[in-house]
Amino acid sequence: MSRKNTGDAEDESARRSNARRLRDRFTAVSRSLSATNVVLAAALVFSVGTVAYSVSTDAQREQYTELYVLGDAGDGQPTASTYPDELVVDEPTRLLAGVENHEGTTQRYTLVVQLQRVDAESDSTPEPAVTETQRVGQFERSVDSGDRWRISHHVVPERRIGGERARLTYLLYRGDVPQRPTVENAYRTAHIWVSVSDE
């Protein structure tokens, strides 16, 4: 074989080798792109699922009812900082209870207001023992989702509740009220501690 033919054969071999290397690189890049596409598609599906879960979880989280009590500031504007700390037997004290419906549907609420004398010895238990109860009032209304219901009422303590350890308790129910309303069976509760004196 002549030198020229040997050189041509070497050139041909180098070209084939280069072509094989290019084909191998193209195949590797092609496989890499396919794997990347699969990963991107999986990430997209995961992202959509996460957003859908987050939206549905947030919607569930936002379903609640808010119950609060406001005192009379004397200027006609009720505030949370003007709760009474003392009530007087047979004298009315004006308060305002508020219910806000964030349940997503219209709710029929019943609010029971009680003035309770509490046993001081039972303070260490999760729910102190109530020794005497005076029903202050009961109010009922259907409230649309997103709406607020404010209940202006007067508390007129009876002598039998007198003492240092009285609790003005608000018990909120959705629907019917049990025969014996308590903190344990209410849907929402709020309370303020007061003393009840004779004068």
Side-chain angles (χ1 to χ4, degrees):
M1 194 183 272
S2 73
R3 197 172 201 166
K4 188 175 179 186
N5 287 342
T6 305
D8 288 344
E10 286 175 1
D11 286 345
E12 182 65 27
S13 175
R15 267 189 299 232
R16 284 187 190 148
S17 178
N18 285 340
R20 200 174 317 121
R21 274 197 299 264
L22 283 173
R23 196 174 338 122
D24 290 345
R25 283 187 188 159
F26 179 75
T27 302
V29 167
S30 176
R31 283 185 188 143
S32 175
L33 286 175
S34 294
T36 302
N37 287 342
V38 168
V39 169
L40 285 174
L44 181 62
V45 168
F46 178 76
S47 296
V48 168
T50 302
V51 168
Y53 175 78
S54 176
V55 167
S56 70
T57 302
D58 285 346
Q60 289 174 353
R61 238 185 265 142
E62 291 180 10
Q63 294 179 348
Y64 65 94
T65 296
E66 186 178 352
L67 171 64
Y68 53 87
V69 183
L70 302 172
D72 188 352
D75 60 359
Q77 293 299 317
T79 66
S81 62
T82 57
Y83 296 127
D85 55 6
E86 184 178 357
L87 302 175
V88 178
V89 170
D90 294 332
E91 284 190 20
T93 299
R94 182 180 174 270
L95 290 165
L96 188 78
V99 176
E100 292 187 16
N101 178 1
H102 300 280
E103 299 286 349
T105 60
T106 299
Q107 298 290 321
R108 183 171 65 88
Y109 294 110
T110 303
L111 180 68
V112 176
V113 184
Q114 297 177 342
L115 187 56
Q116 304 168 334
R117 187 163 26 129
V118 176
D119 181 8
E121 300 294 318
S122 66
D123 276 351
S124 61
T125 61
E127 182 53 36
V130 175
T131 58
E132 194 75 46
T133 300
Q134 172 193 337
R135 183 173 281 211
V136 173
Q138 182 168 319
F139 312 91
E140 186 178 323
R141 177 181 283 180
S142 287
V143 181
D144 291 336
S145 181
D147 280 354
R148 177 176 61 196
W149 173 34
R150 287 210 167 160
I151 307 105
S152 177
H153 60 286
H154 287 89
V155 179
V156 184
E158 297 173 358
R159 184 163 272 104
R160 64 191 173 92
I161 302 295
E164 294 294 316
R165 298 285 298 163
R167 182 173 70 177
L168 186 57
T169 303
Y170 293 79
L171 308 171
L172 185 68
Y173 296 88
R174 290 190 299 181
D176 297 329
V177 176
Q179 230 173 0
R180 187 171 174 271
T182 65
V183 169
E184 289 83 4
N185 62 26
Y187 176 57
R188 293 284 183 266
T189 65
H191 69 267
I192 56 175
W193 291 98
V194 293
S195 61
V196 177
S197 65
D198 286 336
E199 47 183 61

